[in-house]
Amino acid sequence: MILATLERCDGHKAKAARLLGVSLKTLYNRLNDYRKD
């Protein structure tokens, strides 16, 4: 869901975080978690 939202926002992380209802810090943390897997 995060990756789809980022794509929809053309990679704009702040806008994606706002649409997802999470903070920008939370978005970065979740993206880092995905990269570790």
Side-chain angles (χ1 to χ4, degrees):
M1 185 173 202
I2 291 173
L3 298 177
T5 304
L6 270 173
E7 187 175 324
R8 203 172 104 201
C9 295
D10 297 322
H12 193 272
K13 291 178 181 72
K15 186 175 181 181
R18 207 171 25 252
L19 287 173
L20 290 166
V22 298
S23 70
L24 187 55
K25 180 170 177 52
T26 299
L27 180 67
Y28 274 105
N29 288 339
R30 291 186 183 168
L31 286 171
N32 285 332
D33 288 344
Y34 283 132
R35 290 184 187 135
K36 290 178 185 175
D37 290 338

